[in-house]
Tab-separated table of all heavy atoms in Angstrom:
chain	number	residue	atom	x	y	z
U	107	PHE	N	-3.742	-0.780	-16.365
U	107	PHE	CA	-5.094	-0.873	-15.830
U	107	PHE	C	-6.020	-1.647	-16.756
U	107	PHE	O	-6.950	-2.310	-16.310
U	107	PHE	CB	-5.668	0.531	-15.572
U	107	PHE	CG	-4.953	1.276	-14.471
U	107	PHE	CD1	-4.458	2.549	-14.695
U	107	PHE	CD2	-4.767	0.704	-13.226
U	107	PHE	CE1	-3.798	3.240	-13.698
U	107	PHE	CE2	-4.110	1.390	-12.218
U	107	PHE	CZ	-3.612	2.662	-12.451
U	116	ARG	N	-9.267	-1.731	-9.683
U	116	ARG	CA	-8.173	-1.720	-10.656
U	116	ARG	C	-7.134	-0.654	-10.280
U	116	ARG	O	-5.975	-0.740	-10.669
U	116	ARG	CB	-8.719	-1.489	-12.074
U	116	ARG	CG	-9.258	-0.116	-12.311
U	116	ARG	CD	-10.244	-0.041	-13.474
U	116	ARG	NE	-9.631	0.016	-14.792
U	116	ARG	CZ	-9.845	-0.885	-15.746
U	116	ARG	NH1	-10.630	-1.921	-15.520
U	116	ARG	NH2	-9.261	-0.756	-16.925
U	174	VAL	N	-15.012	1.351	-0.426
U	174	VAL	CA	-13.681	1.676	0.087
U	174	VAL	C	-13.741	2.033	1.569
U	174	VAL	O	-12.888	1.606	2.358
U	174	VAL	CB	-13.048	2.809	-0.735
U	174	VAL	CG1	-11.700	3.223	-0.145
U	174	VAL	CG2	-12.875	2.373	-2.192
U	343	GLY	N	-18.155	35.167	-3.524
U	343	GLY	CA	-16.722	35.126	-3.327
U	343	GLY	C	-16.301	34.673	-1.941
U	343	GLY	O	-15.173	34.928	-1.509
U	443	PRO	N	-39.395	6.779	-8.792
U	443	PRO	CA	-40.526	6.637	-9.721
U	443	PRO	C	-41.442	7.848	-9.756
U	443	PRO	O	-42.088	8.104	-10.780
U	443	PRO	CB	-41.257	5.393	-9.194
U	443	PRO	CG	-40.853	5.288	-7.752
U	443	PRO	CD	-39.440	5.772	-7.703
U	456	SER	N	-61.076	-3.315	-20.189
U	456	SER	CA	-60.637	-4.700	-20.431
U	456	SER	C	-61.574	-5.379	-21.413
U	456	SER	O	-62.692	-4.943	-21.656
U	456	SER	CB	-60.598	-5.474	-19.118
U	456	SER	OG	-61.861	-5.466	-18.506
Side-chain angles (χ1 to χ4, degrees):
F107 293 127
R116 69 202 280 121
V174 176
S456 58

